[in-house]
Amino acid sequence: MAIDQLNTTFAALADPTRRAILARLAQGEATVNELAEPFPITVQAVSKHLRVLERAGLIERGRRAQLRPSRLRGEPMKGAVDWLESYRRFWEESFDRLDHRLGGGGDA
């Protein structure tokens, strides 16, 4: 994954409102009004969040009559997961060492 795309993805995921919007879209497509319902912010503010998510490639917006339903796109998130996955061995080894130091056992 290109670094610019990774930066854009993580920047979009940094905001809790955008993460909540993505969680909602994981259940299926929704309009701006539907996405705005649970938030104490304006529809315009939700639209701004959607533009950030769209620029990051995390969502796409369709057109159906007067509505523009948004839907989740997985490719950019997969790139972020793949990048994070590359650090799994480091985390697991660090936790294993910590567990051993705390007397949690292990064979070593």
Side-chain angles (χ1 to χ4, degrees):
M1 166 172 251
I3 295 299
D4 286 346
Q5 179 61 51
L6 192 60
N7 289 343
T8 303
T9 299
F10 280 121
L13 294 173
D15 184 275
T17 300
R18 289 193 286 269
R19 290 192 306 270
I21 288 170
L22 290 173
R24 167 53 185 88
L25 291 175
Q27 299 170 17
E29 67 179 36
T31 65
V32 176
N33 287 331
E34 291 169 335
L35 292 170
E37 285 176 11
F39 299 107
I41 58 177
T42 65
V43 171
Q44 291 78 12
V46 171
S47 290
K48 287 181 182 182
H49 284 296
L50 291 175
R51 283 194 292 277
V52 171
L53 292 169
E54 190 172 25
R55 278 194 302 270
L58 295 169
I59 67 166
E60 59 186 12
R61 299 175 80 185
R63 185 169 298 279
R64 191 174 49 201
Q66 297 295 321
L67 303 176
R68 294 200 62 207
S70 297
R71 69 186 65 74
L72 190 61
R73 293 187 65 235
E75 298 85 15
M77 255 194 266
K78 182 182 180 327
V81 168
D82 290 346
W83 183 84
L84 288 168
E85 187 68 31
S86 69
Y87 291 93
R88 178 186 292 275
R89 181 179 299 150
F90 169 77
W91 294 331
E92 289 175 350
E93 289 172 359
S94 295
F95 291 137
D96 288 346
R97 283 191 303 272
L98 179 61
D99 187 46
H100 182 72
R101 284 186 180 154
L102 295 175
D107 295 352

